[in-house]
Amino acid sequence: MLLQGKQIYVKPVEESDADALLKLEVENRDFFQRFTGLREEAFYTRQGQLERIQEALESSKGDQGYLYVIGLRDTEEVIGEIMLTEVVRWNLQSCWIGYFLDQRHNGKGYMTEAVQLVVKHAFQELKFHRIEAGVMPHNLGSIKVLCKAGFHQEGIARKNVNINGQWEDHQTLAILNEEDHRSQSQVQRYNPSVIAPPIGPYTHVTKVPKGAELLVLSGQVGTDMEGGLPDDMKEQVENTLANIQRLLAAEALSADHIVKINIWAAQQVDWVHFHQVWEKFHGGKAPAMTMAYVPALAMPSIQVEIEVWAAKW
């Protein structure tokens, strides 16, 4: 995995990075010490860095933490570290983010870019819902980095972290995965792996967002805008789906809001044609659907009728 930015790249740490991390830590020892806990001398040896990397790799395998290195794209020089720690899954899906950047490269926008890359990866690939950060209030540069990356300030945690031998207050910042909110605000369709895939263009399970308003469109038939009903079954199918789209649009809805569709046909359906217009109608993942042949509908001229249930939020 390699996360490419405009000026820098971010990648998971490897054992081969031991020398580069040692150089980074030794050259920035006094600078980094102002923002971290006290470290033993062994930390500033190649063996110490190698053991640190090995522990990080084990943490990554166990989904307990992730350590990345930051490098310059033009020279591939390692100029920083960024880590996700304190991973909690289940009902929290959260972690903490921390980072260190070579003092010579502060103020160039590198860390803002690195944080943005890692946050995007953490949300999209690692499926975190919330990422938190703690910064000493006087570290305005780091707070600025996080705010530029989309974090918001939440409050002060008093004397909560031992930094360089002293208990320090920290400004708490956090960023939320907005995709989680959007997915909870939409009808979700999926096919569980516990049963075989659908045998047709429909979805097994539909989840309706909490608090949604339920709308039911009574069975629609294939009349045109003037109320005329064509004899051709294909035209009736097309007209019926077009009428449903108009009704949905009138309620500021689309096919994405559909919870369930019931289709009744009194004549044989041309499935090649139906699949074409059906795919165009739903424009993506097909909704839940029941299709049945019946002896007759309300009028002999009606060959197909479709009922729609939709959710509005």
Side-chain angles (χ1 to χ4, degrees):
M1 180 208 84
L2 184 66
L3 307 177
Q4 293 275 16
K6 293 180 180 179
Q7 305 176 88
I8 55 94
Y9 67 85
V10 177
K11 72 175 189 68
V13 70
E14 303 174 77
E15 290 188 4
S16 58
D17 294 315
D19 289 328
L21 285 186
L22 177 60
K23 180 176 182 293
L24 177 69
E25 292 288 352
V26 169
E27 292 182 354
N28 291 272
R29 181 171 180 170
D30 292 339
F31 177 57
F32 289 171
Q33 189 61 70
R34 293 158 51 189
F35 307 103
T36 190
L38 294 172
R39 290 165 165 169
E40 298 180 357
E41 286 299 319
F43 181 85
Y44 300 100
T45 65
R46 188 181 190 283
Q47 182 60 31
Q49 289 301 307
L50 185 58
E51 291 176 359
R52 175 193 180 202
I53 292 171
Q54 291 169 343
E55 290 176 1
L57 294 175
E58 287 301 313
S59 292
S60 177
K61 289 179 183 177
D63 191 32
Q64 297 175 326
Y66 299 86
L67 176 61
Y68 307 90
V69 295
I70 305 167
L72 292 174
R73 290 192 61 175
D74 54 353
T75 65
E76 297 188 358
E77 176 191 3
V78 173
I79 62 169
E81 314 160 16
I82 187 165
M83 60 284 294
L84 300 175
T85 60
E86 308 297 329
V87 172
V88 181
R89 292 297 187 178
W90 303 106
N91 60 332
L92 291 181
Q93 295 295 107
S94 68
C95 67
W96 287 77
I97 192 170
Y99 44 78
F100 295 96
L101 185 70
D102 190 321
Q103 188 173 13
R104 296 174 299 143
H105 295 289
N106 273 223
K108 300 178 181 179
Y110 295 156
M111 188 52 74
T112 298
E113 193 171 7
V115 170
Q116 290 171 333
L117 288 171
V118 171
V119 166
K120 182 178 180 181
H121 173 72
F123 284 158
Q124 294 184 353
E125 303 300 327
L126 300 179
K127 305 302 181 184
F128 285 110
H129 166 68
R130 174 183 170 90
I131 302 174
E132 298 182 48
V135 183
M136 286 185 287
H138 63 77
N139 190 354
L140 299 180
S142 188
I143 293 175
K144 186 176 180 180
V145 163
L146 291 165
C147 289
K148 280 186 175 182
F151 284 71
H152 58 274
Q153 299 184 47
E154 294 192 331
I156 299 293
R158 297 186 61 252
K159 308 297 182 185
N160 71 320
V161 182
N162 194 300
I163 300 294
N164 201 19
Q166 299 290 327
W167 290 100
E168 299 282 356
D169 294 347
H170 275 69
Q171 170 70 59
T172 300
L173 301 96
I175 187 171
L176 303 179
N177 189 346
E178 293 302 327
E179 287 302 317
D180 289 342
H181 173 71
R182 280 190 281 270
S183 66
Q184 291 174 2
S185 300
Q186 298 175 355
V187 169
Q188 299 178 56
R189 302 167 181 161
Y190 54 94
N191 296 310
S193 59
V194 295
I195 59 174
I199 61 173
Y202 62 89
T203 301
H204 278 312
V205 177
T206 302
K207 185 180 292 185
V208 181
K210 183 178 180 180
E213 181 181 4
L214 186 64
L215 286 86
V216 180
L217 308 186
S218 62
Q220 298 300 305
V221 296
T223 53
D224 58 27
M225 289 297 291
E226 285 71 42
L229 187 66
D231 295 330
D232 184 68
M233 174 67 158
K234 292 181 182 179
E235 290 185 54
Q236 287 199 23
V237 169
E238 292 176 4
N239 284 354
T240 303
L241 294 177
N243 289 336
I244 291 170
Q245 287 179 317
R246 293 188 188 99
L247 287 172
L248 290 172
E251 296 290 336
L253 302 177
S254 69
D256 292 334
H257 296 80
I258 292 174
V259 175
K260 178 71 189 303
I261 280 187
N262 297 313
I263 303 176
W264 299 280
Q267 301 290 332
Q268 180 66 40
V269 174
D270 182 333
W271 288 109
V272 174
H273 172 261
F274 179 82
H275 287 164
Q276 291 175 345
V277 296
W278 178 237
E279 184 174 354
K280 183 179 180 181
F281 170 79
H282 63 69
K285 199 165 190 177
M289 177 182 71
T290 297
M291 164 56 193
Y293 285 109
V294 295
L297 291 166
M299 297 169 55
S301 56
I302 298 176
Q303 300 179 36
V304 64
E305 186 168 347
I306 302 177
E307 175 189 76
V308 173
W309 294 55
K312 185 175 184 178
W313 58 89

